[in-house]
């Protein structure tokens, strides 16, 4: 990670840790759950080598960024507000935006609320989700998968944190990062399992795991879980944007073993016109065979190449 600089920027009432490398047009990289800037370590280096300025913050509640105690401080308006304030603090009128998992969800909202600040978008794993007019988000997942599904289990403050603590931070990361089952049962009540020995894939080292563990032993999982606890509040607050299209040039990349690619009806939505209707400037959909959820780490070079190829156009 030589040459990656770190600093803290005051934004939107919080202190945000930011990792940066390179000069040139800015690329803002948004991580997911349970991750930090380090998930983009390969892309930071690759983008900088290609002449870009890679900027990867720890999002609100994660890593070395502030974690407000109130659950209601983690709505998409707070989170996108942090990012707009970051661009202002860095004197960046526009950026190329790249998101993964929750970072992708935030990127969709960012483009919906402030498309004037985004040149182009590359989103990984999580496709656009049009707002359901009558069913709140958590109930939607409960209807699909039952109360044992991780999104439902995360709703009670403290409960999932206690479950993670009983397993231990290191095993939590090993279990989550090595998950290859795209079915709904994997991240359910039995998803973390016991302390059996897990072999890491070639794309992940013990040092990588240890870095995540060090940061999450400090910050905990509550901040990240609060994003899920605001899902229904987001549903209520974003009603004025129902039906609004994403009007930013977009590329979408997903692994065919990603659980988000196996939600009921999602592949028809992605490939048969629904996605393109909601995101009319969608230019490309890439499905990587044999690739799981943590795609920018598992297929680091390929993902970096895809990002550079797309943002070069703008």
């Amino acid at each position: 990670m030589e040459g990656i600089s770190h600093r803290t920027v005051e934004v939107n009432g919080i202190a945000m840790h930011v990792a940066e490398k390179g000069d040139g047009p800015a690329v803002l990289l948004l991580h997911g759950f349970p991750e930090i800037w380090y998930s983009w370590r390969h892309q930071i280096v690759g983008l900088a080598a290609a002449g870009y300025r890679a900027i990867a913050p720890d999002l609100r509640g994660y890593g070395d960024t502030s974690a407000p105690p109130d659950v209601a401080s983690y709505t998409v308006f707070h989170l996108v507000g942090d990012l707009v304030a970051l661009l202002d603090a860095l004197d960046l009128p526009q950026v190329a935006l790249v998101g993964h998992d929750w970072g992708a969800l935030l990127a969709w909202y960012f483009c919906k609320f402030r498309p004037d600040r985004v040149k182009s978008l590359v989103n990984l794993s999580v496709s656009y989700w049009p707002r359901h007019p009558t069913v709140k988000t958590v109930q939607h997942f409960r209807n699909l998968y039952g109360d044992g599904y991780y999104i439902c289990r995360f709703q009670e403050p403290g409960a999932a944190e206690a479950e993670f603590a009983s397993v231990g931070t290191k095993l939590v990361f090993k279990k989550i990062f090595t998950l290859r089952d795209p079915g709904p049962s994997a991240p359910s009540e039995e998803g973390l399992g016991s302390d059996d020995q897990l072999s890491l894939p070639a794309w992940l080292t013990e040092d990588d795991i240890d870095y995540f563990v060090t940061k999450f032993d400090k910050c905990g999982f509550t901040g990240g879980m609060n994003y899920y606890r605001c899902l229904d509040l987001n549903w209520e607050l974003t009603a004025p944007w129902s039906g609004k299209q994403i009007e930013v040039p977009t590329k979408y990349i997903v692994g065919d073993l990603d659980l988000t690619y196996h939600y009921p009806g999602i592949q028809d939505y992605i490939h048969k016109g629904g996605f393109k209707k909601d995101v009319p400037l969608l230019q490309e959909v890439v499905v990587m065979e044999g690739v799981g959820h943590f795609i920018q780490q598992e297929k680091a070079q390929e993902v970096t190449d895809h990002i550079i190829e797309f943002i070069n156009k703008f």
Side-chain angles (χ1 to χ4, degrees):
M1 299 299 99
E2 184 178 347
I4 296 178
S5 63
H6 298 265
R7 59 169 154 163
T8 299
V9 183
E10 298 295 325
V11 298
N12 199 26
I14 65 169
M16 175 171 276
H17 167 252
V18 181
E20 293 180 84
K21 184 177 174 69
D23 298 302
V27 184
L28 182 62
L29 303 158
L30 308 180
H31 68 77
F33 177 89
E35 300 177 88
I36 49 176
W37 74 270
Y38 190 75
S39 299
W40 297 109
R41 59 197 179 278
H42 306 294
Q43 286 72 39
I44 292 171
V45 173
L47 285 163
Y52 288 94
R53 178 185 178 187
I55 303 167
D58 289 342
L59 298 176
R60 174 181 291 235
Y62 284 96
D64 294 318
T65 291
S66 303
D70 186 4
V71 171
S73 295
Y74 292 83
T75 72
V76 291
F77 292 102
H78 293 87
L79 301 170
V80 174
D82 295 344
L83 300 172
V84 172
L86 176 62
L87 298 193
D88 290 345
L90 299 181
D91 196 25
L92 295 171
Q94 281 192 318
V95 292
L97 194 57
V98 182
H100 171 256
D101 186 77
W102 255 103
L105 191 58
L106 290 184
W108 294 123
Y109 280 115
F110 195 131
C111 293
K112 184 176 286 191
F113 299 153
R114 293 300 304 271
D116 58 305
R117 306 301 295 267
V118 184
K119 290 181 183 178
S120 61
L121 171 66
V122 179
N123 258 348
L124 315 178
S125 294
V126 176
S127 72
Y128 182 69
W129 296 350
R131 180 183 181 275
H132 196 287
T134 59
V135 180
K136 292 185 177 182
T137 308
V138 176
Q139 188 59 50
H140 168 72
F141 283 105
R142 188 172 283 120
N143 292 343
L144 287 177
Y145 301 129
D147 290 334
Y149 194 59
Y150 77 102
I151 289 174
C152 305
R153 284 172 30 245
F154 282 3
Q155 295 306 307
E156 182 184 346
E161 290 95 325
E163 179 186 351
F164 277 29
S166 69
V167 173
T169 308
K170 188 163 190 172
L171 184 58
V172 166
F173 275 101
K174 285 190 173 184
K175 286 280 189 178
I176 290 174
F177 280 158
T178 58
L179 180 66
R180 308 294 289 177
D181 180 359
S185 61
S188 65
E189 286 178 308
E190 304 304 319
L192 290 177
S194 60
D195 59 348
D196 54 333
Q197 295 297 312
L198 286 173
S199 59
L200 295 179
W203 52 268
L204 196 64
T205 69
E206 289 286 348
D207 286 345
D208 294 331
I209 292 288
D210 288 343
Y211 189 87
F212 283 106
V213 170
T214 298
K215 293 302 181 182
F216 276 82
D217 277 345
K218 174 187 172 186
C219 71
F221 291 92
T222 297
M225 290 178 178
N226 283 343
Y227 289 46
Y228 295 92
R229 292 165 185 154
C230 282
L231 281 171
D232 283 351
L233 182 55
N234 291 335
W235 181 88
E236 295 174 9
L237 294 173
T238 58
W241 287 267
S242 287
K244 188 178 188 308
Q245 294 175 317
I246 303 297
E247 297 176 330
V248 170
T250 299
K251 182 173 189 170
Y252 173 67
I253 309 171
V254 67
D256 68 352
L257 297 181
D258 194 323
L259 76 165
T260 67
Y261 191 59
H262 292 268
Y263 292 148
I266 194 68
Q267 293 182 28
D268 281 349
Y269 172 76
I270 290 171
H271 298 293
K272 295 185 178 180
F275 196 9
K276 179 70 172 177
K277 179 181 178 182
D278 292 329
V279 188
L281 300 182
L282 177 68
Q283 297 190 11
E284 191 175 356
V285 172
V286 178
V287 181
M288 292 188 174
E289 293 185 8
V291 181
H293 181 65
F294 296 95
I295 189 169
Q296 81 272 42
Q297 297 183 73
E298 182 175 349
K299 291 295 182 182
Q301 188 60 55
E302 291 92 330
V303 168
T304 301
D305 290 344
H306 275 296
I307 293 169
I308 292 170
E309 181 273 333
F310 190 69
I311 66 178
N312 270 342
K313 299 176 182 179
F314 309 96

